[in-house]
Amino acid sequence: MASDRPGAAETAGRIPPGQRLVHGWPVSHYGPVPRFRPERWNLRVFGATASGATHEWAFDDLATLPHVTVLADLHCASGPTSTGHEWYGIPAATVLDLVPPAAGVTHVMAWAEYGFSANLRLADFTSPQTLMATHHDGEPLTAEHGFPLRLVVPHLYGYKSPKWLRGIEYMTADRRGFWEERGYHNIADAWKQQRWSYQEAEDDGPTPATP
């Protein structure tokens, strides 16, 4: 049966240096798949908000927010790249429109289930292709791939796109997230092969990564 994923000719120039094309969509995450309880679920925006208050959306509120479709590839820092993903969800920049940050906010921390976290520069979070996805290829995300909400930051390595998103923290100074504290690059630009903390320039990270 023919695949609907792009072939080699179509992906020329789309695979970052050091990556290899893989077919399908491998499941990769740290820890167990969380159980979804819609009555307890919410998405929080907190930290350095302009008002100083925390804002929350319940699960049913997600449907009332603006949605877009983004076509993008996924790049894993260990080398695999899968192409042709169709994401549907809420533009990440919408969060800043609905819950304005305080002056001086430069980064966000994306928080997921079990306390998992990924730090992002504000410019990466508000990129036009960054979104909080609810669907993939026309279907709701599966639990293994992040249902009900997954952050997708296509130009960065996959550890910056946490599954099971639960919160966005506004920060006026950078702070390393889960994998960044464990030796992964603080910025993670796939096109610059920013995989490991030892590759960081002086201004790439807030503090040296934990060995």
Side-chain angles (χ1 to χ4, degrees):
M1 183 168 59
S3 171
D4 59 356
R5 296 294 184 200
E10 296 171 277
T11 57
R14 286 172 53 181
I15 307 300
Q19 296 295 108
R20 63 184 184 278
L21 179 66
V22 296
H23 298 286
W25 189 14
V27 174
S28 177
H29 57 261
Y30 180 84
V33 175
R35 180 181 175 186
F36 173 58
R37 297 177 174 87
E39 72 281 1
R40 299 182 184 180
W41 190 94
N42 61 13
L43 177 68
R44 299 172 64 237
V45 181
F46 63 102
T49 63
S51 67
T54 294
H55 188 90
E56 296 184 2
W57 288 286
F59 175 67
D60 289 341
D61 294 333
L62 298 182
T64 69
L65 301 178
H67 284 66
V68 297
T69 297
V70 170
L71 297 175
D73 304 330
L74 283 177
H75 313 297
C76 179
S78 63
T81 284
S82 57
T83 58
H85 297 273
E86 182 183 282
W87 304 98
Y88 177 76
I90 303 152
T94 298
V95 173
L96 276 73
D97 294 335
L98 298 175
V99 186
V105 167
T106 57
H107 293 76
V108 303
M109 187 73 78
W111 289 96
E113 298 283 2
Y114 304 129
F116 181 87
S117 59
N119 59 314
L120 295 157
R121 297 175 299 184
L122 196 62
D124 292 317
F125 184 71
T126 58
S127 168
Q129 284 205 308
T130 300
L131 79 164
M132 301 180 295
T134 58
H135 290 67
H136 175 267
D137 285 354
E139 299 291 338
L141 290 168
T142 63
E144 292 78 9
H145 284 301
F147 181 84
L149 196 66
R150 173 182 184 155
L151 186 64
V152 178
V153 191
H155 63 290
L156 304 183
Y157 286 123
Y159 63 91
K160 294 291 192 178
S161 296
K163 304 174 183 179
W164 312 302
L165 185 69
R166 293 297 304 272
I168 301 297
E169 178 187 0
Y170 292 159
M171 304 191 299
T172 55
D174 196 10
R175 191 170 78 245
R176 292 182 187 271
F178 180 88
W179 286 116
E180 297 80 8
E181 288 183 334
R182 289 160 174 81
Y184 281 74
H185 200 285
N186 195 57
I187 295 176
D189 189 322
W191 293 93
K192 296 179 180 178
Q193 299 193 72
Q194 294 175 331
R195 304 173 193 273
W196 312 110
S197 60
Y198 71 80
Q199 299 172 308
E200 292 176 5
E202 185 176 353
D203 58 352
D204 283 344
T207 58
T210 302

